[in-house]
Amino acid sequence: MEQKEPKPDQELDPGSWRPVLELNDSVVDPALTLYYSALKKMVSAASKGNVSLMEEAVTEVNASASAGDPPGQSVMGFVYGMGMTREANGTKSFQQHQLAAEGGNMQSKMALAFRYIQLDMHDKAAQLYAEVAEAALSNFLISKDFSTVAPLRIHRGAVEDEYVPRRFCGEDAQIGMPSAMYKVGLFYYFSLRGLRHDHAKAVYWFSKAAEKGELRSMKILGEIYAQGTGVERNYTKAFECLTLAAEGGLDSAFTGLGYLYLKGYGVDKNYTKARECFEKVSDSEDPSGMYYLGMLYLKGIGVKRDVKKATKYFLVASNAGLPKAMYQIAKMLHAGAELRKNRNMLKLVTNFLTMNAKFLLDVTLYFTGSFALDAAIVVGGLPRPNWREQALSRADTSIRSGALEYKMGDAHMIIQAGTCLELQSMCVNLRTGVEILQMRRVRGTLQVMGQRKLSAQDAAAFYKSVAERGPWNSLSRWALEAYMKGDVGKAFILYSRMSELGYEVAQSNAAWILDKYGERSMCMGVSEFCTVKERKERAHALWWRASKQGNDYAALLVGDAYYYGRGKERDFVRAAEAYMQNLN
């Protein structure tokens, strides 16, 4: 259970738009000078409504893309997708994103994954989202993900959300109050409210608040020192800060303490104390405690390995919105879906393993008509002295105690699988997938599965939720700030970029801006500003994407467009489909 080493945003998201939006050239990679020059012009052109400047920007971006820069290729994918100073071309957009994704560009991986979902190619979507989600995890702290700021919806139906200004600006805080210092620290640490990233200032304000007894500041300081994000890693200080917060009554601080005991950082490694700390947090219904308890039971660290218990903890933490727990659920669903899809391969692999190794895993797989799967597993571990006797003994004991369920019929298979060095990794994946399918015995806890088949679609949905919390999420903060300042053109292009990455809120925000502000949206076509017809078509496409992700208001608008012939040819079948989606 290794906490991902934190990485700077520029390493996680090369070609990030943040330097342009923060007006911070000091973090720009010299190799991407042309790209950032073009991106700066593009944002400025959208803000000012300068078509000629936009054409110049796109020309430079295209030169960057032609030179093989993944960020340039990614933005060209966006340009072709939008039809901005270039003819809209889905094929060229896809090709540019594919090139960028192959070069490691996370935003293009997001864009491609979302397109695969639209095409019902969920296997490919899940694979890409898994890669992005894994990268996003390294941006999280030990406990809650402070860095995640969910994109705000700027409208409620057809009208502007009157609460947005209050939610954006936050409550006024009296100068000198510890709670205000804590908030200022968050703003600097996570670049909120339009402030530039400044870890030194963040630590300064957290420290000032901690001196005045602000427990949340003590806790986050402890996690910052433990991870060494923006400061020199110091486990002694981390332990001191977390202990003070916990002793002061902040139960969530026990997550960090438990992690230190678990890893033996700054203290002697002690699995019992780690588990006790996580249990204290879980008793207070903090999802981070549930997540770490799930990891203990999943890995069998200090406790008897129990996949069922692990799954239950992950589900509770996932339902509470903890990204790391969502990631574990996604991995479970993904592995289960792969096993179900490759049943014949499973037979071949296990037969090969049985012939080439003596190490025994007794696994009973009971397939129902819908391929929902119950599994009972005995795992002996990797080869070690007396491993044959121990594995067989454990299998025999399990069989005698009834842990393995033997049934007759075509839907039942008993597999004896071994492990050998050349297929060790395949075995690990096989075991993981089969064990994970024990979730089917956790009745009534995994609502997303219900009575349906384990599917890559479910896995992709969970991976997507985690992937969307990566540093590229910062685009929403800058889009909202621009909107609040009346810079509708800048807000529109940023929301449009996020729309392409699959953010539903951004899709509805961009569509609403087109409908609400018309020409003020600064929507640009091939050679000039978008016509009324072009704006309606773009808005319809955005509402349609949002409707497919569960936005009821968007589904209603799409249905009305087809029913009344508003910008679309009247089509009662499509209207009915949209309205039915609104009811589901």
Side-chain angles (χ1 to χ4, degrees):
M1 191 196 335
E2 193 66 36
Q3 180 77 13
K4 294 288 183 180
E5 188 72 18
K7 298 179 180 179
D9 288 351
Q10 283 299 106
E11 186 175 340
L12 279 176
D13 187 23
S16 166
W17 291 38
R18 174 170 276 165
V20 170
L21 300 172
E22 289 186 350
L23 304 178
N24 183 11
D25 293 333
S26 63
V27 296
V28 170
D29 183 351
L32 296 176
T33 301
L34 176 62
Y35 162 76
Y36 275 112
S37 170
L39 191 60
K40 187 181 295 184
K41 291 177 182 178
M42 180 176 289
V43 173
S44 178
S47 179
K48 298 175 181 178
N50 189 327
V51 177
S52 61
L53 183 60
M54 182 63 77
E55 290 175 346
E56 182 181 338
V58 171
T59 299
E60 288 186 9
V61 171
N62 190 46
S64 174
S66 299
D69 296 334
Q73 294 164 342
S74 181
V75 174
M76 280 307 298
F78 171 57
V79 167
Y80 281 120
M82 285 276 289
M84 190 166 60
T85 77
R86 296 286 191 278
E87 289 286 349
N89 190 315
T91 300
K92 287 185 177 180
S93 176
F94 182 87
Q95 289 172 342
Q96 289 292 330
H97 279 305
Q98 196 166 39
L99 288 171
E102 290 171 357
N105 187 274
M106 292 297 170
Q107 293 192 30
S108 279
K109 288 184 180 182
M110 291 272 287
L112 288 176
F114 183 65
R115 292 191 187 189
Y116 284 134
I117 284 182
Q118 292 175 295
L119 296 171
D120 292 329
M121 299 171 70
H122 299 290
D123 289 331
K124 289 188 174 182
Q127 183 59 48
L128 283 171
Y129 275 134
E131 294 174 13
V132 181
E134 185 176 6
L137 286 177
S138 65
N139 204 39
F140 301 158
L141 288 174
I142 294 171
S143 57
K144 291 183 179 179
D145 175 26
F146 290 90
S147 62
T148 297
V149 178
L152 293 179
R153 202 177 303 279
I154 59 178
H155 67 98
R156 290 193 176 190
V159 299
E160 184 178 74
D161 186 348
E162 61 183 19
Y163 295 104
V164 166
R166 188 182 307 172
R167 293 162 70 189
F168 172 70
C169 298
E171 301 174 358
D172 290 333
Q174 184 177 346
I175 296 176
M177 293 292 290
S179 59
M181 296 176 181
Y182 168 71
K183 288 182 180 179
V184 172
L186 290 179
F187 297 162
Y188 277 116
Y189 197 83
F190 297 114
S191 184
L192 304 177
R193 308 288 161 81
L195 291 177
R196 181 186 298 181
H197 266 296
D198 194 324
H199 289 144
K201 286 185 178 180
V203 171
Y204 169 80
W205 285 109
F206 288 140
S207 299
K208 294 286 287 185
E211 289 172 4
K212 293 180 178 290
E214 214 288 319
L215 299 179
R216 293 171 299 174
S217 295
M218 297 177 192
K219 173 196 167 184
I220 196 170
L221 274 175
E223 297 198 7
I224 287 172
Y225 279 119
Q227 287 193 303
T229 311
V231 296
E232 185 177 350
R233 183 179 277 113
N234 189 321
Y235 294 124
T236 301
K237 280 189 177 181
F239 185 78
E240 290 174 355
C241 291
L242 290 167
T243 300
L244 285 173
E247 290 176 348
L250 188 65
D251 289 339
S252 60
F254 281 105
T255 299
L257 287 175
Y259 180 77
L260 293 179
Y261 280 119
L262 178 67
K263 306 302 293 185
Y265 292 157
V267 292
D268 293 333
K269 186 178 291 188
N270 190 319
Y271 294 148
T272 300
K273 284 188 176 181
R275 176 175 52 79
E276 290 173 350
C277 286
F278 297 143
E279 287 174 345
K280 287 181 181 178
V281 184
S282 63
D283 288 342
S284 64
E285 299 184 354
D286 187 297
S288 60
M290 300 285 187
Y291 164 76
Y292 280 105
L293 282 174
M295 291 302 295
L296 292 182
Y297 281 104
L298 181 65
K299 302 290 186 180
I301 301 175
V303 294
K304 183 179 180 181
R305 195 164 187 269
D306 191 326
V307 178
K308 294 181 189 178
K309 277 190 177 181
T311 303
K312 289 180 180 179
Y313 283 124
F314 289 147
L315 287 169
V316 173
S318 178
N319 289 335
L322 192 71
K324 288 184 283 192
M326 294 180 187
Y327 180 71
Q328 292 301 326
I329 292 295
K331 287 177 67 177
M332 290 178 168
L333 290 168
H334 201 188
E338 287 299 306
L339 265 183
R340 177 183 160 272
K341 183 179 68 176
N342 295 306
R343 187 166 55 133
N344 290 331
M345 187 197 304
L346 177 64
K347 291 181 181 179
L348 293 174
V349 171
T350 51
N351 287 339
F352 179 84
L353 294 174
T354 301
M355 290 186 293
N356 287 273
K358 299 298 184 181
F359 177 61
L360 179 65
L361 285 174
D362 259 316
V363 183
T364 301
L365 304 179
Y366 174 60
F367 289 89
T368 66
S370 65
F371 292 100
L373 183 58
D374 283 339
I377 302 108
V378 178
V379 180
L382 293 177
R384 57 185 180 275
N386 301 322
W387 59 269
R388 287 189 182 84
E389 291 77 11
Q390 291 184 39
L392 289 169
S393 174
R394 291 174 67 176
D396 183 64
T397 301
S398 182
I399 293 169
R400 292 178 185 277
S401 64
L404 295 184
E405 189 176 27
Y406 286 80
K407 294 186 178 181
M408 300 298 291
D410 295 335
H412 180 245
M413 294 189 304
I414 297 173
I415 299 173
Q416 291 184 327
T419 183
C420 51
L421 293 177
E422 57 266 37
L423 286 179
Q424 182 174 324
S425 61
M426 187 179 296
C427 269
V428 171
N429 291 332
L430 176 66
R431 285 169 49 187
T432 301
V434 175
E435 290 166 349
I436 278 162
L437 294 178
Q438 286 180 306
M439 286 189 299
R440 297 295 298 136
R441 291 191 182 274
V442 186
R443 304 300 182 188
T445 56
L446 191 54
Q447 295 179 358
V448 70
M449 286 173 58
Q451 297 301 315
R452 298 185 290 123
K453 302 175 183 180
L454 290 169
S455 71
Q457 181 177 358
D458 297 323
F462 274 95
Y463 279 136
K464 182 175 185 287
S465 295
V466 181
E468 288 183 342
R469 288 160 166 81
W472 31 89
N473 174 277
S474 64
L475 286 172
S476 67
R477 302 200 281 264
W478 294 102
L480 181 60
E481 183 195 3
Y483 179 79
M484 296 303 302
K485 291 181 177 179
D487 193 342
V488 179
K490 183 177 180 180
F492 175 68
I493 196 171
L494 295 180
Y495 280 133
S496 296
R497 173 60 167 176
M498 293 190 73
S499 300
E500 186 186 40
L501 306 189
Y503 288 85
E504 182 275 316
V505 172
Q507 291 162 357
S508 67
N509 283 348
W512 187 80
I513 286 175
L514 285 170
D515 288 343
K516 172 73 174 178
Y517 291 95
E519 291 181 357
R520 281 188 60 197
S521 67
M522 304 300 178
C523 174
M524 297 185 192
V526 177
S527 59
E528 56 187 14
F529 288 111
C530 296
T531 63
V532 174
K533 180 182 178 182
E534 287 173 333
R535 285 198 302 270
K536 287 185 177 297
E537 288 176 348
R538 289 193 184 186
H540 177 83
L542 289 163
W543 286 127
W544 181 83
R545 292 179 187 175
S547 73
K548 291 296 184 180
Q549 297 198 74
N551 186 314
D552 293 339
Y553 177 69
L556 181 64
L557 289 182
V558 171
D560 285 351
Y562 285 116
Y563 185 83
Y564 295 106
R566 295 174 180 168
K568 308 298 291 186
E569 185 176 346
R570 296 189 76 174
D571 189 326
F572 296 127
V573 173
R574 289 191 173 184
E577 289 175 351
Y579 291 142
M580 287 295 292
Q581 185 172 325
N582 184 271
L583 292 173
N584 287 338

